[in-house]
mmCIF file of all heavy atoms in Angstrom:
data_model
loop_
_atom_site.group_PDB
_atom_site.id
_atom_site.type_symbol
_atom_site.label_atom_id
_atom_site.label_comp_id
_atom_site.label_asym_id
_atom_site.label_seq_id
_atom_site.Cartn_x
_atom_site.Cartn_y
_atom_site.Cartn_z
ATOM 1 N N ARG Q 60 -0.423 18.295 9.761
ATOM 2 C CA ARG Q 60 -1.576 19.186 9.569
ATOM 3 C C ARG Q 60 -1.956 19.914 10.856
ATOM 4 O O ARG Q 60 -2.324 21.083 10.834
ATOM 5 C CB ARG Q 60 -2.754 18.362 9.065
ATOM 6 C CG ARG Q 60 -3.962 19.159 8.759
ATOM 7 C CD ARG Q 60 -5.041 18.283 8.220
ATOM 8 N NE ARG Q 60 -6.174 19.093 7.828
ATOM 9 C CZ ARG Q 60 -7.269 18.620 7.321
ATOM 10 N NH1 ARG Q 60 -7.382 17.320 7.138
ATOM 11 N NH2 ARG Q 60 -8.254 19.401 7.001
ATOM 12 N N GLU Q 61 -1.864 19.227 11.985
ATOM 13 C CA GLU Q 61 -2.360 19.765 13.252
ATOM 14 C C GLU Q 61 -1.318 20.533 14.053
ATOM 15 O O GLU Q 61 -1.669 21.316 14.933
ATOM 16 C CB GLU Q 61 -2.907 18.620 14.114
ATOM 17 C CG GLU Q 61 -4.069 17.871 13.485
ATOM 18 C CD GLU Q 61 -5.313 18.728 13.325
ATOM 19 O OE1 GLU Q 61 -5.602 19.515 14.237
ATOM 20 O OE2 GLU Q 61 -5.988 18.601 12.284
ATOM 21 N N THR Q 62 -0.036 20.324 13.777
ATOM 22 C CA THR Q 62 1.024 20.937 14.570
ATOM 23 C C THR Q 62 1.331 22.342 14.066
ATOM 24 O O THR Q 62 1.395 22.575 12.858
ATOM 25 C CB THR Q 62 2.298 20.072 14.512
ATOM 26 O OG1 THR Q 62 1.981 18.769 14.976
ATOM 27 C CG2 THR Q 62 3.408 20.643 15.373
ATOM 28 N N ASP Q 63 1.514 23.249 14.991
ATOM 29 C CA ASP Q 63 1.921 24.609 14.641
ATOM 30 C C ASP Q 63 3.247 24.536 13.886
ATOM 31 O O ASP Q 63 4.147 23.794 14.274
ATOM 32 C CB ASP Q 63 2.087 25.429 15.925
ATOM 33 C CG ASP Q 63 2.396 26.881 15.643
ATOM 34 O OD1 ASP Q 63 3.451 27.162 15.047
ATOM 35 O OD2 ASP Q 63 1.573 27.725 16.039
ATOM 36 N N ARG Q 64 3.355 25.276 12.818
ATOM 37 C CA ARG Q 64 4.562 25.216 11.970
ATOM 38 C C ARG Q 64 5.842 25.493 12.748
ATOM 39 O O ARG Q 64 6.898 24.980 12.416
ATOM 40 C CB ARG Q 64 4.462 26.214 10.828
ATOM 41 C CG ARG Q 64 3.514 25.795 9.765
ATOM 42 C CD ARG Q 64 3.546 26.795 8.653
ATOM 43 N NE ARG Q 64 2.606 26.377 7.624
ATOM 44 C CZ ARG Q 64 2.620 26.822 6.407
ATOM 45 N NH1 ARG Q 64 3.528 27.709 6.047
ATOM 46 N NH2 ARG Q 64 1.752 26.405 5.535
ATOM 47 N N THR Q 65 5.756 26.309 13.775
ATOM 48 C CA THR Q 65 6.952 26.640 14.538
ATOM 49 C C THR Q 65 7.452 25.466 15.360
ATOM 50 O O THR Q 65 8.579 25.492 15.855
ATOM 51 C CB THR Q 65 6.706 27.846 15.475
ATOM 52 O OG1 THR Q 65 5.654 27.508 16.391
ATOM 53 C CG2 THR Q 65 6.336 29.085 14.685
ATOM 54 N N HIS Q 66 6.632 24.437 15.522
ATOM 55 C CA HIS Q 66 7.027 23.264 16.291
ATOM 56 C C HIS Q 66 7.460 22.098 15.399
ATOM 57 O O HIS Q 66 7.799 21.033 15.905
ATOM 58 C CB HIS Q 66 5.891 22.821 17.207
ATOM 59 C CG HIS Q 66 5.624 23.787 18.308
ATOM 60 N ND1 HIS Q 66 4.591 24.692 18.260
ATOM 61 C CD2 HIS Q 66 6.274 24.018 19.471
ATOM 62 C CE1 HIS Q 66 4.605 25.427 19.350
ATOM 63 N NE2 HIS Q 66 5.622 25.045 20.099
ATOM 64 N N LEU Q 67 7.422 22.282 14.091
ATOM 65 C CA LEU Q 67 7.839 21.215 13.180
ATOM 66 C C LEU Q 67 9.358 21.228 13.024
ATOM 67 O O LEU Q 67 9.994 22.271 13.071
ATOM 68 C CB LEU Q 67 7.191 21.401 11.804
ATOM 69 C CG LEU Q 67 5.678 21.251 11.726
ATOM 70 C CD1 LEU Q 67 5.189 21.564 10.315
ATOM 71 C CD2 LEU Q 67 5.232 19.865 12.148
ATOM 72 N N THR Q 68 9.913 20.035 12.816
ATOM 73 C CA THR Q 68 11.340 19.930 12.535
ATOM 74 C C THR Q 68 11.583 20.319 11.077
ATOM 75 O O THR Q 68 10.632 20.451 10.295
ATOM 76 C CB THR Q 68 11.840 18.492 12.756
ATOM 77 O OG1 THR Q 68 11.194 17.636 11.803
ATOM 78 C CG2 THR Q 68 11.564 18.013 14.177
ATOM 79 N N GLY Q 69 12.843 20.460 10.705
ATOM 80 C CA GLY Q 69 13.182 20.788 9.322
ATOM 81 C C GLY Q 69 12.630 19.781 8.324
ATOM 82 O O GLY Q 69 11.963 20.164 7.354
ATOM 83 N N PRO Q 70 12.868 18.478 8.533
ATOM 84 C CA PRO Q 70 12.329 17.489 7.597
ATOM 85 C C PRO Q 70 10.793 17.492 7.556
ATOM 86 O O PRO Q 70 10.202 17.335 6.493
ATOM 87 C CB PRO Q 70 12.858 16.157 8.134
ATOM 88 C CG PRO Q 70 14.101 16.517 8.869
ATOM 89 C CD PRO Q 70 13.823 17.866 9.475
ATOM 90 N N GLU Q 71 10.157 17.712 8.705
ATOM 91 C CA GLU Q 71 8.692 17.772 8.727
ATOM 92 C C GLU Q 71 8.196 18.968 7.915
ATOM 93 O O GLU Q 71 7.231 18.854 7.155
ATOM 94 C CB GLU Q 71 8.181 17.874 10.172
ATOM 95 C CG GLU Q 71 8.357 16.607 10.965
ATOM 96 C CD GLU Q 71 8.058 16.765 12.443
ATOM 97 O OE1 GLU Q 71 8.075 17.903 12.966
ATOM 98 O OE2 GLU Q 71 7.808 15.733 13.092
ATOM 99 N N THR Q 72 8.885 20.091 8.033
ATOM 100 C CA THR Q 72 8.528 21.287 7.263
ATOM 101 C C THR Q 72 8.698 21.022 5.771
ATOM 102 O O THR Q 72 7.846 21.412 4.962
ATOM 103 C CB THR Q 72 9.393 22.487 7.697
ATOM 104 O OG1 THR Q 72 9.189 22.701 9.102
ATOM 105 C CG2 THR Q 72 9.038 23.740 6.933
ATOM 106 N N ASP Q 73 9.762 20.339 5.408
ATOM 107 C CA ASP Q 73 9.993 20.004 3.997
ATOM 108 C C ASP Q 73 8.874 19.118 3.452
ATOM 109 O O ASP Q 73 8.374 19.350 2.352
ATOM 110 C CB ASP Q 73 11.344 19.312 3.809
ATOM 111 C CG ASP Q 73 12.523 20.251 4.031
ATOM 112 O OD1 ASP Q 73 12.325 21.486 4.003
ATOM 113 O OD2 ASP Q 73 13.644 19.745 4.238
ATOM 114 N N VAL Q 74 8.477 18.123 4.219
ATOM 115 C CA VAL Q 74 7.397 17.225 3.769
ATOM 116 C C VAL Q 74 6.091 18.009 3.652
ATOM 117 O O VAL Q 74 5.332 17.828 2.687
ATOM 118 C CB VAL Q 74 7.246 16.015 4.715
ATOM 119 C CG1 VAL Q 74 5.996 15.216 4.387
ATOM 120 C CG2 VAL Q 74 8.475 15.114 4.640
ATOM 121 N N LEU Q 75 5.815 18.893 4.595
ATOM 122 C CA LEU Q 75 4.599 19.706 4.529
ATOM 123 C C LEU Q 75 4.588 20.560 3.265
ATOM 124 O O LEU Q 75 3.560 20.664 2.580
ATOM 125 C CB LEU Q 75 4.480 20.580 5.775
ATOM 126 C CG LEU Q 75 3.215 21.424 5.883
ATOM 127 C CD1 LEU Q 75 1.967 20.541 5.883
ATOM 128 C CD2 LEU Q 75 3.251 22.278 7.134
ATOM 129 N N LYS Q 76 5.724 21.140 2.919
ATOM 130 C CA LYS Q 76 5.823 21.932 1.685
ATOM 131 C C LYS Q 76 5.551 21.050 0.470
ATOM 132 O O LYS Q 76 4.887 21.467 -0.483
ATOM 133 C CB LYS Q 76 7.208 22.568 1.565
ATOM 134 C CG LYS Q 76 7.436 23.721 2.501
ATOM 135 C CD LYS Q 76 8.867 24.254 2.355
ATOM 136 C CE LYS Q 76 9.175 25.307 3.391
ATOM 137 N NZ LYS Q 76 10.593 25.721 3.337
ATOM 138 N N MET Q 77 6.082 19.825 0.501
ATOM 139 C CA MET Q 77 5.868 18.900 -0.618
ATOM 140 C C MET Q 77 4.388 18.561 -0.757
ATOM 141 O O MET Q 77 3.848 18.519 -1.867
ATOM 142 C CB MET Q 77 6.693 17.629 -0.417
ATOM 143 C CG MET Q 77 8.186 17.871 -0.485
ATOM 144 S SD MET Q 77 9.129 16.449 0.048
ATOM 145 C CE MET Q 77 9.340 15.616 -1.509
ATOM 146 N N ILE Q 78 3.724 18.334 0.377
ATOM 147 C CA ILE Q 78 2.298 18.003 0.350
ATOM 148 C C ILE Q 78 1.505 19.154 -0.255
ATOM 149 O O ILE Q 78 0.635 18.946 -1.110
ATOM 150 C CB ILE Q 78 1.791 17.677 1.767
ATOM 151 C CG1 ILE Q 78 2.377 16.355 2.249
ATOM 152 C CG2 ILE Q 78 0.272 17.638 1.814
ATOM 153 C CD1 ILE Q 78 2.160 16.075 3.718
ATOM 154 N N LYS Q 79 1.816 20.371 0.173
ATOM 155 C CA LYS Q 79 1.098 21.541 -0.341
ATOM 156 C C LYS Q 79 1.322 21.730 -1.833
ATOM 157 O O LYS Q 79 0.475 22.285 -2.523
ATOM 158 C CB LYS Q 79 1.501 22.781 0.440
ATOM 159 C CG LYS Q 79 0.931 22.758 1.845
ATOM 160 C CD LYS Q 79 1.222 24.013 2.603
ATOM 161 C CE LYS Q 79 0.555 23.902 3.974
ATOM 162 N NZ LYS Q 79 0.631 25.124 4.728
ATOM 163 N N ALA Q 80 2.449 21.248 -2.335
ATOM 164 C CA ALA Q 80 2.751 21.333 -3.764
ATOM 165 C C ALA Q 80 2.295 20.083 -4.522
ATOM 166 O O ALA Q 80 2.644 19.897 -5.685
ATOM 167 C CB ALA Q 80 4.249 21.553 -3.962
#
Side-chain angles (χ1 to χ4, degrees):
R60 183 178 184 180
E61 299 295 320
T62 303
D63 185 297
R64 286 183 180 198
T65 60
H66 292 100
L67 294 176
T68 64
E71 289 171 340
T72 302
D73 290 342
V74 171
L75 183 60
K76 287 177 187 174
M77 294 169 91
I78 290 169
K79 288 184 178 187

